[in-house]
Structures are given as C-alpha cells and as structure tokens.
Amino acid sequence: MREYDAPTYPGSATGSRDQLAIRRGNLTRILRHIRTNGPRSRAVIATATGLHKTTVSSLIEELLDLRLVREIGMDHSGAAGRPGRSVALSPDVGAVGVEINVDYLAVHGSDLAGRTIFEHRTAFTNVARGVEQCLDDITEAARQALEHLRRCGVTPVGLTVAVPGLIDVARGVVVLAPNLGWHDVPIVDRLSHGLPPGLWIGVDNDANLAALAEHTWGVAAGTDNLVYLTGEVGVGGGVILDGRLLRGADGFCGEVGHMPVAPDGQRCGCGLIGCWETKVGLAELVRMATPDAAYDLDRQVDTDRISDPQERVAEVARRLAAGDRAAVDAVAEIGTWLGHGGAILVNLFNPRVIVLGGYFAELADHLIPAAQARLARLAVASPVARCHFVASHLGFTAAARGAAGVTLDRMIEHPTTVLAAAGR
Ligand SMILES: [Zn+2]
C-alpha cells in the first residue's frame, strides 16, 4: 500500500515520525468527533477535543484537501462568540458491504456522510455450486456496486464481506461457515485478484456486522448493551457490551446458534445434535409452517426451487393471517425456543435488548410474546425484567450495511493511507 505524501516537519527523523503519527491521530479524532456528533464548527471541535484552535484549523484544511470533509452552513451550537462555518463529513468517499448467506446475496453502498447510495438483495442459489462460483458471484456483485458509487461521484475506499461463520478477521479467512459448506477459504486474497487494485478488502462475521449496524443506526442505537440475532437458516449472535463488540480469544464470540439446547434433537449443519438454530432457524420454521416448501439443506435437489427467504416468510405470514393451524403452532413453538435461548444469553451477558434480525424481525409480532413469556420464566429475575426482544428495522440488509460502515470506520482510523491506496 502506497504511503501518503505527508507534510514534512523540522527536527530529527524520529521526531518527524512521532509528529506525523500525532497529526494522523488528530485527523482521526476530528473525523470521529464529527461522525459521532454531526457537523460542527472549528471552534466547537477545538473545545470538544481539547486541541488548539490553530491546530484544528490546520487539520481541517488537510481534511478539506483530502475531500473527507466539507463546509456547510453556520454552526450556532457553540459557545460564545461568532458562529463559525460547520464542517461535515463528505459525500465524496464511500464503501461497499456485501453479505453472502445460504439463500441470498445483499449489497450495500454508502458514503461517509451516511447516505445510502446502493442497496440490492437477490435470491441466491449458487451455494450448491461451490466456493469458487460463490466467490465469482461476490466479486461481480461488489464490482457492480463499486461502479455504481463511482458513477455517483463517490470514490470507494474498500469493501467488507459479511459471512455467516467463524472468521479470522486479521488473516481475511473464513475458517468455517457450516451452512455454506466452507472451510478455510482465504476470501480476502481471492477477492483482491478480481477487483480493482488499491481497495481495502475485509471480511467479518455477519452477526457482528449487523450488531454494529444496529448499535449505530438501528432500533438499538444508543443502547450500549445488546445482543443481535440473525434470523436466517443459521442463527448467529453479535454481542455488544459497554458499547464494544465482543470478539473473544479467537474472534469467534457469538456463535449462539450452536448452543446445545436439545440433546435428543436434529442434526445441525455444524454436525452436532440439537443446536439452538435447529430449533429457531428459518429452515425449521419453514419445515413446520410450510412443509410443502421445506428447504433441502443437503442440497440434493434442483436449486431452482430455493426461493428468496423473504418470499418464504411472506408465505408463512399469509398462512398465519388465514389462521392455518400448522403455521400458528410453528411460530408459537419457535417463539418459545427463542425465549429459551434468550434466557441463556440474558444470564450470560445481561443485555438491555435482544435485537431480532432477519426473519425473526418479519414475524416479530407473532414470535415476541411467546419468547418474552419463556424468557421471564427461565432467566434470573432482575436482569430479565429490563431486557426485551425488539425487532430490527434494518431487515435482511443489516449485515451488508454494517459491512460498509466498518470499511468507512477503517478509513477514519487510517484516512491518509486508505485514501492514497484508493488513488485519491
Ligand atoms: Zn450447530
């Protein structure tokens, strides 16, 4: 990656490097401050960050040159004195997030100012055709989104792929994604060969990325203690405690779908028996509520039969509205098991909310009463009284949105390096 051609400073080489590091750190501080608090004047930023006014002015000139910020109207929010021009994050740079799942591919593109520029989700039937085909499809979807951003005048700095599985984030490797049938897939390296050079490419767990999206923009924005559950064929969890995403020793924290809850239950995609996702995953809902359209998770059948998960859920909702007995019993059963696993999570993590994503959100009105009742019966009394299931508003695109967001976060942490690599 090409280094940014930074301003030079007098003094020893070591001193210059230290000063450069401090200056870069301060660029990040200012970007973070504006991202968290919205547009602010130079004077207000100086007061809030503790940096000297002339330093802030100089740093903002550099950020203006980099086209990472722009000046908008006047800021009247500050302390006494003349109001200054507000500095806002720029819509000139952006990032892409791609989520691959068992039965859909979701793509999201947004700019640093927070606008959604591109959002697309398609039913996906290529999991059965193997890893290489999937990687080609991800590459093509990413390429289209990147081109769309460029056509809109936005320079993309990179992309992150959300995958339902165990991810080695540092090495860019999918260690295991049971429901995709992937083992040790070096996805970042592979995608870097098919996409334009200079882009920063990352990979992370889908539930972690969705949890970050919920924490930043979603129904739980401002809640520092939450568990996010992906409601897909697989069920993953993203855990945010005290405002920070939990990762664990190997980065595999949150594999809640494989909590053993039913020792005499069905075999899971991971090979074990009675995992929580065999009780609450979308495949189990579909099997119980619409047995005529059940998933074939062994993927031995014509893949054209597999339809978009939202269509499957809509069919369940139609049968619920018609009072279909199998559908009514299915959501009651799933809701109860949701509360069963939720009780374990509440006792472990003490979250304020459990955010239901994916299909759980679509059927939340049917699932939450049974889940909340079971939770109240099983969890330790005091924390459960203040923990509620809530439905995500971000739907099936939460992980892709979070993936674009973490790519922009990375750019904020290393603004000059990432921009230089992206050709800016
Ligand atoms: Zn399992």
Side-chain angles (χ1 to χ4, degrees):
M1 189 171 278
R2 182 162 64 88
E3 274 294 288
Y4 168 65
D5 185 17
T8 53
Y9 301 92
S12 69
T14 308
S16 297
R17 274 200 300 276
D18 289 348
Q19 282 180 314
L20 186 57
I22 289 167
R23 188 172 176 88
R24 285 176 173 174
N26 285 336
L27 290 174
T28 297
R29 268 173 85 181
I30 290 176
L31 288 171
R32 270 205 222 118
H33 181 78
I34 302 173
R35 194 171 209 212
T36 305
N37 299 287
R40 290 289 185 271
S41 71
R42 289 163 175 79
V44 170
I45 292 169
T47 305
T49 58
L51 295 168
H52 196 275
K53 271 186 192 175
T54 55
T55 307
V56 169
S57 291
S58 159
L59 291 164
I60 286 186
E61 285 311 307
E62 188 171 348
L63 292 171
L64 285 166
D65 284 347
L66 291 165
R67 304 214 319 268
L68 287 175
V69 298
R70 61 185 170 140
E71 289 182 316
I72 54 173
M74 304 304 280
D75 180 2
H76 298 280
S77 72
R82 266 187 320 126
R85 286 182 71 80
S86 278
V87 179
L89 294 180
S90 162
D92 290 349
V93 294
V96 168
V98 182
E99 179 194 4
I100 180 170
N101 220 301
V102 175
D103 45 12
Y104 68 87
L105 196 64
V107 188
H108 179 98
S110 48
D111 67 25
L112 189 57
R115 282 183 313 160
T116 294
I117 298 165
F118 185 86
E119 198 156 63
H120 189 61
R121 188 170 57 83
T122 49
F124 190 63
T125 59
N126 278 353
V127 168
R129 297 189 181 124
V131 175
E132 286 304 314
Q133 180 68 55
C134 287
L135 293 175
D136 284 347
D137 293 342
I138 292 170
T139 304
E140 185 52 34
R143 190 180 292 129
Q144 285 177 17
L146 292 163
E147 280 171 12
H148 187 93
L149 260 62
R150 285 198 189 92
R151 277 200 302 277
C152 293
V154 178
T155 302
V157 294
L159 79 149
T160 297
V161 185
V163 180
L166 306 179
I167 312 297
D168 186 331
V169 173
R171 289 197 306 127
V173 172
V174 178
V175 177
L176 176 67
N179 291 313
L180 300 180
W182 291 10
H183 300 264
D184 292 319
V185 176
I187 186 168
V188 168
D189 185 54
R190 174 66 167 70
L191 294 183
S192 68
H193 291 113
L195 291 170
L199 286 172
W200 182 81
I201 303 174
V203 61
D204 207 333
N205 172 270
D206 62 340
N208 285 348
L209 293 167
L212 289 169
E214 292 293 347
H215 182 244
T216 310
W217 303 286
V219 69
T223 306
D224 276 347
N225 295 283
L226 68 93
V227 175
Y228 175 90
L229 298 176
T230 64
E232 325 283 352
V233 169
V235 175
V239 183
I240 290 180
L241 291 187
D242 299 328
R244 298 181 69 87
L245 182 73
L246 286 196
R247 288 202 177 270
D250 297 301
F252 300 163
C253 182
E255 284 302 314
V256 299
H258 304 289
M259 296 191 296
V261 296
D264 54 352
Q266 304 163 59
R267 188 168 293 280
C268 176
C270 73
L272 298 174
I273 301 286
C275 295
W276 191 31
E277 73 182 37
T278 68
K279 291 295 185 186
V280 299
L282 180 56
E284 180 62 0
L285 171 79
V286 167
R287 188 189 68 77
M288 288 195 289
T290 57
D292 46 310
Y295 279 87
D296 178 4
L297 291 178
D298 293 329
R299 306 180 191 93
Q300 299 299 314
V301 296
D302 176 7
T303 52
D304 291 342
R305 276 187 58 226
I306 298 174
S307 56
D308 184 89
Q310 216 151 8
E311 289 169 25
R312 290 182 180 275
V313 177
E315 178 57 28
V316 174
R318 270 193 293 276
R319 295 190 195 189
L320 280 171
D324 179 87
R325 192 74 250 161
V328 170
D329 289 349
V331 292
E333 171 90 0
I334 299 252
T336 301
W337 276 107
L338 206 47
H340 183 99
I344 299 171
L345 301 178
V346 167
N347 288 334
L348 271 176
F349 299 119
N350 187 200
R352 190 60 76 229
V353 294
I354 298 176
V355 183
L356 299 178
Y359 98 81
F360 294 146
E362 310 259 323
L363 298 178
D365 289 349
H366 299 277
L367 295 171
I368 287 179
Q372 202 75 43
R374 183 71 161 191
L375 182 64
R377 218 158 61 76
L378 290 181
V380 174
S382 56
V384 80
R386 295 193 303 279
C387 179
H388 297 281
F389 286 97
V390 296
S392 165
H393 298 155
L394 300 179
F396 281 99
T397 56
R401 190 181 172 120
V406 298
T407 313
L408 289 169
D409 284 344
R410 182 182 160 80
M411 200 274 301
I412 284 176
E413 295 304 314
H414 310 277
T416 52
T417 310
V418 173
L419 281 182
R424 279 275 304 269

